[in-house]
Amino acid sequence: MNFKKIDFFYFIGIGGMGMSSLARYFHTMGKTVCGHDQNKTFLTKELEKEGISINYNDSIEILPKWVLSKQCLIVYTSAIPSHHKQWMYLKKYGKNVKKRSQVLAFITENEICIAIGGTHGKTTTCTLLGHILYSSGMNITAFLGGISENYKSNLILNHVLNGRKIFLVEADEFDHSFLYLSPNIACITSFDQDHVDIYPKKENLKKAYITFSNRIKKPYKKIFLFQEESFRFNNAIYYSVLQGENYYSDHLNIKENKWYFDFHTPTETWKSLPLPIPGKHNLKNVTAALAISDYLKIPKEEIRKALFLFKGIKRRYSIHYQSSNKIYIDDYAHHPTEINALISTVRECFPNKKILGIFQPHLFSRTKFFEKSFAKSLEHLDILILLDIYPAREFPINGTNSNSLLEKIKMSSKEISTFSKVLEKIEKKHFDIILTMGAGNIDTLIIPIKEWLYKRYG
């Protein structure tokens, strides 16, 4: 697709993380960018501040006049329901209509592209790698699946005159989106079953990843893989934690609540690097980013400096409040594996503390499939407040709800709450740490909880 012939862009679902980074990208190119979203959120407000017009009513009458012209590209997300009025109209009458993943593929197809995939850890790996490449002065455009604390955005741009342009993207397996990409370098951070509405069996997911790996092209034509029994490729570079692969990290230790580790390349060892986000699972993600950076011949000094200056990602182990006796952490964890890793990390950072967890399940299909695993993960908390399932793109499944999940959780202090009653329930609990978890709209509780903590504990 020739974007030089496109003057206007209309995004249906512009408030999504992947959609908004694309909207920002075209906006920086001087294009006219507008869009629709169902809800006004922090992210949509930020887009509006940047000059992007957004409407929140599903009405055909408020569509811009140019939306049906040949100079307009209509971008949609798979999360848009089929009965959406604007979507039905634009799908029928729009001249250029493309899925978000297709547009991302068009942008990157003739450039050097690095794609980070995997069930867990791709946003952390991608954001850190983007930060390293930006900090080292490379000509980088990175589309992120989260908001970088360093750049306050899910888009990193560093347009310099020297060096070939590199695009860094997340390879999202949902709806087979990553199969549109043809990267030069790919990474699979983890291989754990998820998106069971798309991949009902793990074998389906494995086949999709194999297809993705076969799309890797020259130059480079390399895939970075965490040591997994289920994957072996001829063009792979392996990385691991505590094992001697091509790249690996070890000697993880905590000093005064700060984490450090050693990183091994094929030729040398980098001693005592800081782990910018706590947790053994994050060491795995950081190792991937460092391995790719070293492969691209980024100087060791530049990489070490970038690690020290990395501020993290919103909703990835984000500490919002910390006093002498109370702590509040928010995290995007929405899969049993992620919840286990998060709670384990909190316990290592703050031993012997009583944890109150507030969890919002995401998707009926995921909750049904992992119900027993979710129950076991949440049992690692001391106190649980469970919210209703966030449906996202799905309709309810009979017999699958928060009540059925709660029944399977074996712990004494557990209950269900609505959003409006959460603070009231927190006030009655004895805790040291509050932990909010989920991928839905649980982030709307962050400010109310912070304000209550500051008012109550100073």
Side-chain angles (χ1 to χ4, degrees):
M1 173 169 282
N2 187 357
F3 291 113
K4 291 181 180 179
K5 295 182 179 180
I6 303 295
D7 298 317
F8 308 99
F9 290 81
Y10 191 80
F11 287 79
I12 311 176
I14 196 169
M17 195 61 68
M19 293 282 278
S20 57
S21 63
L22 279 178
R24 280 173 157 151
Y25 173 74
F26 289 116
H27 183 64
T28 62
M29 292 174 61
K31 306 291 186 178
T32 299
V33 178
C34 298
H36 165 82
D37 206 88
Q38 184 178 352
N39 301 305
K40 186 180 284 260
T41 64
F42 172 81
L43 190 47
T44 61
K45 290 175 184 176
E46 289 298 304
L47 294 177
E48 289 177 303
K49 287 179 184 177
E50 294 167 22
I52 295 174
S53 177
I54 301 175
N55 62 72
Y56 299 94
N57 294 318
D58 184 16
S59 168
I60 297 171
E61 288 73 21
I62 60 176
L63 289 169
K65 294 179 180 179
W66 41 256
V67 76
L68 299 182
S69 71
K70 292 181 179 179
Q71 290 74 42
C72 174
L73 177 62
I74 297 159
V75 187
Y76 71 97
T77 169
S78 302
I80 294 296
S82 58
H83 60 272
H84 191 277
K85 293 177 184 177
Q86 286 191 12
W87 169 229
M88 289 192 293
Y89 177 77
L90 294 174
K91 182 170 57 173
K92 185 175 182 179
Y93 297 108
K95 303 298 187 297
N96 300 300
V97 182
K98 298 294 180 184
K99 187 185 289 189
R100 180 199 66 86
S101 49
Q102 291 177 296
V103 177
L104 190 62
F106 286 137
I107 292 172
T108 61
E109 63 183 349
N110 296 318
E111 306 288 350
I112 295 296
C113 176
I114 304 172
I116 310 297
T119 312
H120 320 294
K122 55 182 172 283
T123 296
T124 300
T125 304
C126 194
T127 306
L128 176 57
L129 179 58
H131 171 64
I132 292 171
L133 298 180
Y134 180 94
S135 300
S136 64
M138 296 197 71
N139 192 344
I140 176 72
T141 300
F143 297 93
L144 310 176
I147 303 297
S148 163
E149 294 285 10
N150 288 82
Y151 307 95
K152 305 301 180 187
S153 178
N154 52 357
L155 177 70
I156 300 176
L157 285 172
N158 191 32
H159 291 164
V160 295
L161 295 177
N162 297 323
R164 187 171 182 181
K165 184 181 294 185
I166 293 179
F167 282 88
L168 174 62
V169 304
E170 291 193 24
D172 185 5
E173 71 274 16
F174 171 67
D175 199 25
H176 300 93
S177 293
F178 64 164
L179 299 185
Y180 288 106
L181 297 170
S182 296
N184 304 89
I185 296 173
C187 176
I188 298 177
T189 60
S190 56
F191 181 67
D192 201 356
Q193 190 165 9
D194 197 9
H195 297 302
V196 292
D197 52 335
I198 307 296
Y199 309 102
K201 296 181 179 179
K202 194 169 184 178
E203 190 62 28
N204 303 131
L205 181 62
K206 182 178 179 179
K207 287 180 181 178
Y209 271 109
I210 291 172
T211 302
F212 170 65
S213 69
N214 290 333
R215 293 182 62 82
I216 301 169
K217 64 187 180 184
K218 294 180 179 180
Y220 298 118
K221 199 176 182 180
K222 290 293 181 183
I223 183 167
F224 285 76
L225 292 174
F226 188 73
Q227 180 58 43
E228 295 270 4
E229 292 181 2
S230 53
F231 281 112
R232 281 284 162 184
F233 296 116
N234 293 329
N235 60 337
I237 296 175
Y238 292 91
Y239 68 95
S240 69
V241 173
L242 306 178
Q243 299 180 37
E245 290 293 335
N246 303 112
Y247 291 93
Y248 69 100
S249 296
D250 60 6
H251 296 150
L252 181 64
N253 63 91
I254 305 174
K255 298 177 183 177
E256 298 178 352
N257 211 29
K258 293 183 179 180
W259 298 53
Y260 298 90
F261 67 101
D262 294 343
F263 174 67
H264 303 264
T265 76
T267 59
E268 60 181 329
T269 298
W270 304 354
K271 292 282 188 179
S272 195
L273 296 176
L275 185 65
I277 307 178
K280 293 175 182 176
H281 60 298
N282 280 315
L283 178 59
K284 177 176 161 181
N285 303 326
V286 170
T287 302
L290 297 188
I292 297 171
S293 299
D294 181 71
Y295 179 77
L296 293 173
K297 302 187 185 310
I298 306 298
K300 177 173 65 176
E301 296 75 18
E302 295 287 345
I303 296 174
R304 182 183 287 269
K305 181 181 177 182
L307 268 181
F308 272 103
L309 296 177
F310 186 65
K311 297 178 182 178
I313 309 130
K314 283 187 183 297
R315 304 221 60 225
R316 280 15 177 228
Y317 201 87
S318 300
I319 299 178
H320 290 282
Y321 179 87
Q322 188 166 4
S323 66
S324 58
N325 59 349
K326 300 293 178 188
I327 300 163
Y328 171 37
I329 301 170
D330 174 65
D331 196 273
Y332 191 68
H334 58 283
H335 185 283
T337 300
E338 296 166 350
I339 294 171
N340 282 331
L342 174 62
I343 297 174
S344 175
T345 300
V346 173
R347 296 241 181 247
E348 285 193 73
C349 291
F350 307 102
N352 304 317
K353 298 291 185 181
K354 195 171 186 179
I355 304 175
L356 161 61
I358 305 168
F359 176 58
Q360 181 188 42
H362 185 262
L363 296 177
F364 292 101
S365 58
R366 181 184 285 127
T367 306
K368 179 181 180 181
F369 189 88
F370 292 110
E371 195 170 47
K372 291 181 180 178
S373 298
F374 273 126
K376 290 181 179 179
S377 298
L378 295 168
E379 285 167 8
H380 295 302
L381 298 165
D382 298 296
I383 308 165
L384 171 65
I385 296 175
L386 188 63
L387 301 174
D388 287 333
I389 297 172
Y390 186 80
R393 58 188 178 268
E394 293 184 338
F395 292 105
I397 297 175
N398 188 34
T400 299
N401 51 57
S402 290
N403 282 307
S404 63
L405 174 58
L406 193 73
E407 289 175 3
K408 292 177 174 59
I409 300 170
K410 297 177 182 178
M411 56 190 298
S412 57
S413 184
K414 60 177 184 178
E415 62 181 304
I416 290 178
S417 175
T418 61
F419 270 69
S420 61
K421 297 288 186 180
V422 166
L423 286 180
E424 181 182 316
K425 292 184 181 295
I426 290 174
E427 289 177 357
K428 299 175 183 178
K429 308 296 183 185
H430 297 286
F431 63 88
D432 301 303
I433 298 172
I434 296 177
L435 190 58
T436 48
M437 302 168 287
N441 61 346
I442 192 171
D443 60 318
T444 58
L445 289 175
I446 293 174
I447 292 177
I449 291 174
K450 281 173 63 176
E451 289 177 346
W452 177 79
L453 286 167
Y454 276 108
K455 184 177 179 180
R456 179 78 175 267
Y457 300 102

